Amino acid sequence: MQRWPVLLFLAWVCFLFFAGIGLFMSGFLLTRIELASSSSCSDPLVPPPWERQSLPPGSCWAPQRFSKAVLVIIDALRFEFARFNPANASLLPYENKLGFLHHLATSQPRHARLYRFRADPPTATMQRIKGLTTGSLPTFIDVGSNFATYAIQEDNLLAQLVQNGRRVVFMGDDTWEGLFPKKFFRSYFFPSFNVKDLHTVDDGILQHLYPTVDSGEWDVLIAHFLGVDHCGHKHGPDHPEMAKKLTQMNEMLRSLVDHLGNDTLLLVAGDHGMTETGDHGGDSEKEVNAALFVYSKTPLFGTGPPEEPEAVPQVNLVPTVALLLGVPIPYSNIGEVMAELFSGDGDAVSAALQQLSVYHINAKQVDRFLHSYSLVAQDLPAEQLQRLQELFSGAVEEHTQLLAQVQGATLVPPELESRLGSLISRFQLYLREARAVCTQSWARFHPLRMVGGCTLIAASCLLCYVASELAASSDSFYRSCLLYPLLWGLVVAVLLGLAHAFTQEGLDLLLVLAWAAAASQLGFFWHWWGRHPKRARLAGSQPPLASAGLRQRLRAWLGLAFPMGILLFRCGAMFSDSFVVAEARVAPFLLASLVMLLVGKLHWDGRLTVPEGPKQQLLGFSSYRREIWYLLCLVAMLLVCVRLSGFFHQCREEIPQCRPSLFLSPLASLRNTRAKNLFYLLCVALLAGLVYAVRSWLRHYGNLNSSDPLVLFVRWGFPLVVLCIACYWAVASSADDSLGKLQELVQVAVVAFPWAVYGLASVGLLLLLCNPMTVFAKDTRESAGSIVTPYLGVPSSEVNFLHVIPQIYKRMQESQKSRLERGSCRATVAAYGLGSVYSAALVIALTLLGFLLMLLHSERLSFAFLLLFLEAFVLLHIHTHARGLAGDTEPFSVPWYAVISWLLAASQFFYSTGHQPIFPAIHWNAAFVGFHLDHSTNLLPAALVGANTFASHILFAVGCPLLLLWPFVCEMPSSQKRKPKKEPREELQEVEEHMMEMRLRESPEKFSTALLQLGLKYLFVLGTQLLACVCAAMILRRHLMVWKVFAPKFLFESLGFVVSSICLLLGISLVMRVDCAVSTWFSQLQLR
């Protein structure tokens, strides 16, 4: 068996896809260009002065109104959390809890005001911090680095404060430490990633907040509380814990106001909102609708508050705070100053003139930025820039003329107020249109890279299809289709590296890899085209239908057209945002449709009926075979599993009538103790049932008879893993109810039990890799030749007599002749479990992976995992019986319908394990299963969250080789019953039909080729789906829903492809490891 060439070829194909994905991403998800320029006090942006305006010392651009400022960020403070409605009688847990803000706004209307604080998506914490400090718009790709932050190099508010000698003190979320290293006069950072921890960050802030305020050794104080956000992630907003946390924030603000001086500005803001499930990251109304509260002990506003709170973009906070504190506005800001905060205590004309002054500064700063940005980037439309320039020039010119008339006292107050109001509107129009232009244009695409990436992926799909058809027909396949293309790619990579070395230019590694991948693809197609004439190429890619009739040709083509049609329909649906949103229902429908079409095709081909006799055959009468009823039962079971899996779906905000499944929330969220206990017992029973089913299957096929370490682990380790998971679920569901010393014990147990599962699963996988043989060999003294029989069960079972005695009988006949010729006497070896040794290793590996993945999900999703294993089992049996009924003459080839249905099931259970291809639906809690404190590195939490998200991809990819192995394990006796009666000598050869997976050993070259073909077909289907997402994202990149639907779908599909391809390689590697162990076992057997 050729093991390494198969793995190397599949790894090379995966590299081709990865290169295409990387190249496309570099063109589709580019961040905007960040300018290195920064503002300074000497910049000529100050408008002409007027008689009642003066610039005091220490101020930049505008008079400093406050010497100190306190910014309190309450993470995920949705607007509804801050709004107070006295008339509301039936309160939800999060309503009317911040009553102190309402008290300040009503008792001091000119000192305090509440705003709707509109966040720009993506609503992840790091992107919001960037928006709140730079005044710019973080692009979509930045969300991927939300928990791997890097320092902000762009000009920002903190840099301006430090540059102008202000002392900035920070306490709270340690995300700020990575964004602003060495920028704080004093700092108190606390770990932020553990979303289950509601109190560590908040309690740490409260410990330092009031002493720091009273000390006076600060100019700007930032306190970033995380308890509300973490409570939303853990419990959701509609939970008593949210009421407790908001009440704590209310008392904190009440105490903080008492410690503030008259020269201090207080800002209470939420960086984003949250959905009804407590998540965020997208652009739904509840995610972008945060709250902002402004307060000062000196009057801030010239008029009272409006009836309905005004909505302001978050970027507007940056220029406002900068000018209020007397520092320059950051260079790249595109926010609009909140001019009502600059009204002062004078009359209406003075207030309007002051507002015009700050608008003028703001507009000049934005115009300077747009001019600088347009010089280094071409993504802002020239005609829109021209219009903005006209708006700006007209407003500035009119402002200059108006100030001259004010100085000359040529305008009477009514006319002056009208002119001032009109001019303010013109500045507002300019600033808002400038922001709109930037928002629309800052998806800075690189078309050539996108086309190149799309072409690489398409060529890789074609290569997979051609290679899967070519692998079995070429004797020099690996030399011509692997070695030469690899050499082509290596030569191109070396040449590009040398060219960069000689030209002293920076080496773009991604481009080098992309060109190397393209060269290796070209080498493959060149050698394929040159070494195989046209007629051979056509024969290698088409079924031999030249001599067949029209009906036979239609049947053969329909066998490929049905599954490919389903695949093409799924790919075409990627171009519709409605289908992508509803894909949780589309994928199960396509799976059920494919299986029903398979049954219909079998019936059309006449494979489900058998003629009863010559007369009935002439009349067209026939009766159904017995096997059809078993197949129909399997199809019914599949449809039931598909239907039940719909109870575990997560909702998208695009479907407002949808309600998320109750099974997604952890048991700890249940308030009914009886319901909690009932669900807990059901979950544990499902775990025990899974272990019982796996052990029964292994016992039935004789794979639990030996005393090898792996078999002993399956016997005793599996129940122990179930016990640890059950104990973890018990302590995790009651962690919030425990008190005192019991609380400490529970905290230890919450960490210890998952680590026990990790350890036991690791031991099991290690044993599986070291010795994957689950075969029990029994020696006897018989006068026969060497016998190796795949016993199915204990020696006294009925299957023993059905499958072993004919083989022994055959060997006895052979041994009689051998004894007459040689007079030899050799040992007989009976091998229990040899016929299912490959499948047994995969079943054990999948069970261990299933335990780990169930641990990372909420308890009640164990129902979904049970359905996953059951549906996979049913699909394998449908595939086996369909092949048996069709009389498949190529047992070493897996048909396309089986591969496509397997991948449709993987997509189905992506949604049925509570996931959606959107960032708010990511289960961040998985990062802390077995970890109480924060992680020291981002790799481990990323791996845990990734395993949680792509659990179905992992299981189905690792289990993909079962599509090849299962028909050999479940050999159908029906095919033998249809055969005519044979002579006794021919009957002795029937034993080969019962060798099960050992038939693969008879043709090792066909075995390795079959694994290669299966892997290539799997990658082809995966790649075709990926290609559809890539094309949809590229073609619809200016679509209204691109960043809400198509871009997240592309990212999740790309990550899913990477995970699936790696796990596919691991699954095939495990089969080859078993084959290597079987070869060693046979070689040792011959030495006996």
Side-chain angles (χ1 to χ4, degrees):
M1 181 180 184
Q2 295 180 327
R3 301 185 186 99
W4 287 110
V6 171
L7 290 176
L8 187 58
F9 193 93
L10 291 176
W12 170 61
V13 173
C14 292
F15 161 73
L16 299 180
F17 278 107
F18 295 166
I21 294 172
L23 186 62
F24 181 83
M25 279 189 172
S26 68
F28 180 69
L29 297 176
L30 285 178
T31 57
R32 63 177 176 82
I33 295 177
E34 294 185 354
L35 302 182
S37 305
S38 61
S39 301
S40 67
C41 287
S42 58
D43 293 339
L45 300 182
V46 182
W50 49 286
E51 59 180 357
R52 282 167 286 183
Q53 182 193 35
S54 60
L55 198 63
S59 297
C60 281
W61 297 7
Q64 175 184 351
R65 289 207 62 187
F66 295 96
S67 60
K68 293 180 180 293
V70 176
L71 174 60
V72 176
I73 298 177
I74 302 178
D75 208 291
L77 182 66
R78 203 167 79 189
F79 179 75
E80 289 79 5
F81 296 176
R83 191 169 194 176
F84 192 92
N85 185 5
N88 195 348
S90 57
L91 296 177
L92 294 173
Y94 58 80
E95 292 181 328
N96 290 4
K97 294 300 181 293
L98 296 179
F100 183 65
L101 301 184
H102 176 72
H103 167 73
L104 290 177
T106 54
S107 62
Q108 305 178 57
R110 295 187 60 194
H111 296 250
R113 188 163 296 181
L114 178 66
Y115 295 90
R116 292 182 182 271
F117 208 32
R118 302 285 295 182
D120 295 296
T123 51
T125 296
M126 191 197 75
Q127 280 65 42
R128 294 299 86 238
I129 294 175
K130 287 185 175 181
L132 287 169
T133 55
T134 64
S136 189
L137 302 177
T139 48
F140 183 86
I141 189 58
D142 287 336
V143 76
S145 56
N146 191 32
F147 300 106
T149 58
Y150 52 90
I152 294 178
Q153 304 297 329
E154 201 170 21
D155 194 16
N156 58 83
L157 184 59
L158 269 69
Q160 288 296 334
L161 290 169
V162 174
Q163 180 179 325
N164 287 274
R166 310 298 170 88
R167 298 166 296 177
V168 182
V169 175
F170 178 84
M171 50 188 72
D173 185 352
D174 61 355
T175 304
W176 293 70
E177 183 179 15
L179 291 173
F180 304 102
K182 301 179 180 179
K183 286 290 192 298
F184 300 111
F185 178 75
R186 188 179 297 114
S187 57
Y188 306 95
F189 297 114
F190 302 97
S192 61
F193 192 48
N194 188 354
V195 293
K196 293 185 177 181
D197 184 1
L198 309 185
H199 306 296
T200 298
V201 176
D202 293 2
D203 292 346
I205 295 175
L206 294 175
Q207 181 182 354
H208 300 283
L209 179 60
Y210 308 121
T212 302
V213 173
D214 294 338
S215 68
E217 297 179 354
W218 56 277
D219 296 304
V220 175
L221 190 151
I222 304 173
H224 191 155
F225 291 86
L226 287 177
V228 172
D229 178 67
H230 288 187
C231 184
H233 284 298
K234 186 176 182 181
H235 302 291
D238 190 9
H239 193 276
E241 284 295 327
M242 183 62 75
K244 295 179 183 177
K245 183 53 65 175
L246 290 174
T247 302
Q248 182 189 29
M249 293 296 99
N250 187 64
E251 296 304 317
M252 176 272 297
L253 293 172
R254 188 187 304 274
S255 301
L256 178 61
V257 168
D258 293 338
H259 289 76
L260 297 181
N262 294 334
D263 60 344
T264 304
L265 174 68
L266 173 64
L267 300 161
V268 182
D271 58 340
H272 51 75
M274 67 171 65
T275 64
E276 290 302 327
T277 57
D279 299 312
H280 59 89
D283 62 349
S284 66
E285 186 65 22
K286 292 184 178 180
E287 290 172 278
V288 302
N289 215 16
L292 171 66
F293 184 80
V294 182
Y295 172 76
S296 170
K297 291 188 175 181
T298 57
L300 270 173
F301 306 97
T303 60
E307 293 184 3
E308 185 65 23
E310 180 186 354
V312 296
Q314 283 190 352
V315 291
N316 291 10
L317 187 66
V318 173
T320 304
V321 173
L323 295 182
L324 285 174
L325 295 178
V327 298
I329 301 174
Y331 195 91
S332 300
N333 165 74
I334 59 169
E336 173 191 342
V337 70
M338 299 165 63
E340 64 270 19
L341 295 176
F342 296 85
S343 299
D345 297 330
D347 56 15
V349 173
S350 299
L353 287 172
Q354 183 63 46
Q355 292 177 13
L356 268 179
S357 178
V358 294
Y359 270 129
H360 189 123
I361 295 171
N362 192 186
K364 274 194 170 183
Q365 172 266 317
V366 171
D367 176 71
R368 180 185 64 175
F369 166 71
L370 292 178
H371 176 72
S372 302
Y373 189 85
S374 63
L375 294 178
V376 298
Q378 305 300 322
D379 48 5
L380 296 179
E383 62 276 7
Q384 295 189 19
L385 286 176
Q386 180 64 30
R387 168 174 164 73
L388 289 175
Q389 181 62 40
E390 292 173 358
L391 284 175
F392 171 74
S393 300
V396 169
E397 183 179 353
E398 183 178 350
H399 186 206
T400 305
Q401 294 175 357
L402 184 62
L403 289 180
Q405 293 175 354
V406 169
Q407 295 284 1
T410 59
L411 291 175
V412 296
E415 182 183 0
L416 178 59
E417 290 180 11
S418 175
R419 291 276 303 276
L420 289 173
S422 173
L423 188 54
I424 288 176
S425 298
R426 292 186 64 177
F427 275 116
Q428 289 176 340
L429 176 64
Y430 166 75
L431 291 169
R432 290 170 188 177
E433 287 202 7
R435 180 175 178 272
V437 168
C438 293
T439 302
Q440 294 170 4
S441 303
W442 272 345
R444 184 174 173 269
F445 302 113
H446 197 302
L448 287 179
R449 291 199 174 204
M450 287 192 292
V451 172
C454 188
T455 305
L456 276 178
I457 295 173
S460 300
C461 292
L462 179 61
L463 186 149
C464 286
Y465 184 82
V466 171
S468 67
E469 300 292 334
L470 192 65
S473 60
S474 177
D475 297 330
S476 58
F477 174 76
Y478 294 107
R479 185 179 69 253
S480 61
C481 296
L482 176 62
L483 181 60
Y484 294 147
L486 284 178
L487 290 176
W488 280 46
L490 184 62
V491 168
V492 169
V494 171
L495 291 177
L496 288 175
L498 292 175
H500 280 283
F502 283 115
T503 57
Q504 302 295 324
E505 294 181 1
L507 183 65
D508 191 337
L509 183 61
L510 185 59
L511 276 180
V512 172
L513 294 177
W515 277 109
S520 62
Q521 286 178 338
L522 182 62
F524 172 87
F525 290 114
W526 179 272
H527 284 277
W528 168 67
W529 191 267
R531 284 182 166 271
H532 298 81
K534 183 177 181 181
R535 184 175 301 175
R537 285 196 298 270
L538 293 176
S541 60
Q542 297 180 3
L545 299 177
S547 60
L550 179 60
R551 186 178 179 87
Q552 287 76 13
R553 292 186 184 186
L554 285 175
R555 287 176 178 175
W557 282 114
L558 284 177
L560 184 63
F562 280 145
M564 288 300 179
I566 294 290
L567 177 61
L568 290 178
F569 181 84
R570 171 170 166 76
C571 293
M574 300 294 184
F575 291 83
S576 168
D577 59 328
S578 300
F579 272 95
V580 174
V581 168
E583 193 179 12
R585 290 177 290 171
V586 172
F589 170 77
L590 293 179
L591 174 61
S593 301
L594 179 57
V595 173
M596 297 301 294
L597 286 172
L598 171 64
V599 177
K601 182 181 181 301
L602 289 173
H603 184 272
W604 190 59
D605 291 342
R607 300 294 185 177
L608 303 184
T609 58
V610 57
E612 295 184 353
K615 294 183 179 180
Q616 291 85 344
Q617 190 171 4
L618 289 174
L619 296 174
F621 295 117
S622 59
S623 62
Y624 287 100
R625 294 173 179 163
R626 295 179 180 178
E627 294 84 0
I628 180 58
W629 305 113
Y630 184 60
L631 179 61
L632 291 179
C633 289
L634 290 173
V635 173
M637 289 180 62
L638 176 70
L639 296 179
V640 170
C641 290
V642 168
R643 192 67 176 173
L644 292 177
S645 67
F647 290 105
F648 304 94
H649 287 172
Q650 178 67 276
C651 289
R652 296 180 63 125
E653 65 95 11
E654 294 92 343
I655 309 177
Q657 68 274 17
C658 176
R659 294 293 178 267
S661 172
L662 297 176
F663 293 92
L664 301 180
S665 57
L667 288 179
S669 63
L670 289 179
R671 304 176 190 176
N672 189 322
T673 305
R674 180 174 297 180
K676 180 187 294 187
N677 294 336
L678 177 61
F679 274 114
Y680 173 77
L681 292 176
L682 285 175
C683 294
V684 175
L686 289 176
L687 274 180
L690 177 62
V691 171
Y692 175 78
V694 171
R695 291 179 58 178
S696 298
W697 186 89
L698 294 171
R699 187 181 296 110
H700 172 71
Y701 285 103
N703 295 104
L704 284 185
N705 291 323
S706 74
S707 58
D708 290 336
L710 179 60
V711 176
L712 294 177
F713 181 84
V714 173
R715 289 178 182 173
W716 305 108
F718 277 16
L720 190 56
V721 172
V722 171
L723 178 62
C724 291
I725 295 177
C727 292
Y728 169 71
W729 285 349
V731 296
S733 61
S734 59
D736 296 334
D737 302 329
S738 54
L739 300 173
K741 295 183 178 180
L742 185 61
Q743 175 73 23
E744 298 178 1
L745 183 62
V746 166
Q747 294 298 332
V748 173
V750 166
V751 175
F753 283 121
W755 273 102
V757 176
Y758 296 150
L760 288 171
S762 301
V763 169
L765 292 173
L766 188 61
L767 291 174
L768 184 63
L769 291 176
C770 292
N771 184 17
M773 293 288 290
T774 54
V775 178
F776 174 63
K778 181 180 179 181
D779 293 346
T780 60
R781 299 298 298 177
E782 296 289 348
S783 57
S786 177
I787 301 177
V788 178
T789 61
Y791 278 0
L792 308 177
V794 296
S796 61
S797 64
E798 180 182 357
V799 186
N800 187 355
F801 293 99
L802 292 176
H803 296 272
V804 178
I805 290 179
Q807 198 175 118
I808 295 179
Y809 174 70
K810 175 185 175 183
R811 297 301 186 188
M812 288 176 63
Q813 285 186 327
E814 294 177 354
S815 66
Q816 289 179 359
K817 180 179 179 181
S818 176
R819 189 169 54 179
L820 289 174
E821 294 177 355
R822 303 191 305 270
S824 62
C825 181
R826 300 173 65 185
T828 301
V829 178
Y832 298 86
L834 190 60
S836 57
V837 63
Y838 296 101
S839 299
L842 282 172
V843 168
I844 293 172
L846 289 172
T847 306
L848 290 171
L849 290 174
F851 288 146
L852 289 173
L853 296 173
M854 279 189 277
L855 181 70
L856 297 177
H857 287 77
S858 63
E859 301 90 341
R860 288 183 285 180
L861 281 178
S862 56
F863 291 86
F865 278 93
L866 180 68
L867 283 176
L868 184 152
F869 283 110
L870 179 60
E871 185 172 311
F873 180 79
V874 171
L875 279 174
L876 290 171
H877 276 276
I878 290 176
H879 162 52
T880 299
H881 282 268
R883 293 193 64 171
L885 290 169
D888 199 341
T889 58
E890 297 182 4
F892 288 88
S893 177
V894 179
W896 283 103
Y897 73 81
V899 179
I900 294 175
S901 62
W902 196 251
L903 275 163
L904 284 174
S907 298
Q908 169 200 345
F909 279 99
F910 169 78
Y911 296 98
S912 296
T913 49
H915 298 99
Q916 286 280 352
I918 51 176
F919 292 104
I922 295 177
H923 300 176
W924 300 110
N925 289 340
F928 288 91
V929 176
F931 298 90
H932 181 59
L933 299 176
D934 202 10
H935 292 277
S936 57
T937 175
N938 292 312
L939 295 178
L940 184 57
L944 293 175
V945 173
N948 172 283
T949 304
F950 300 104
S952 64
H953 296 71
I954 293 171
L955 292 173
F956 279 94
V958 172
C960 178
L962 290 174
L963 293 172
L964 172 64
L965 302 172
W966 209 260
F968 292 96
V969 176
C970 307
E971 289 181 328
M972 293 187 63
S974 59
S975 59
Q976 302 165 24
K977 294 179 182 179
R978 297 193 301 270
K979 295 180 180 179
K981 187 175 181 180
K982 297 181 176 63
E983 296 295 329
R985 181 177 299 176
E986 294 176 342
E987 290 180 0
L988 293 176
Q989 298 177 1
E990 289 288 337
V991 68
E992 296 181 2
E993 302 255 350
H994 305 289
M995 292 298 290
M996 299 181 0
E997 290 180 348
M998 285 302 100
R999 293 177 60 194
L1000 297 165
R1001 296 279 308 169
E1002 297 175 354
S1003 304
E1005 296 301 324
K1006 287 186 177 179
F1007 188 15
S1008 59
T1009 301
L1011 285 174
L1012 175 62
Q1013 287 180 317
L1014 175 60
L1016 290 172
K1017 288 181 177 180
Y1018 200 86
L1019 290 174
F1020 171 81
V1021 179
L1022 278 174
T1024 305
Q1025 295 176 170
L1026 174 65
L1027 179 63
C1029 290
V1030 166
C1031 292
M1034 179 177 66
I1035 296 172
L1036 303 174
R1037 61 186 181 274
R1038 295 297 181 187
H1039 191 277
L1040 177 65
M1041 306 294 285
V1042 62
W1043 300 118
K1044 191 170 189 175
V1045 175
F1046 297 111
K1049 176 61 179 173
F1050 158 68
L1051 286 177
F1052 276 82
E1053 196 72 30
S1054 300
L1055 292 174
F1057 179 90
V1058 172
V1059 171
S1060 297
S1061 57
I1062 293 174
C1063 291
L1064 173 67
L1065 290 175
L1066 294 177
I1068 294 177
S1069 300
L1070 178 59
V1071 173
M1072 294 182 172
R1073 174 68 186 94
V1074 176
D1075 185 75
C1076 182
V1078 171
S1079 300
T1080 304
W1081 185 85
F1082 271 107
S1083 63
Q1084 294 175 351
L1085 185 66
Q1086 293 175 359
L1087 298 175
R1088 295 186 180 182

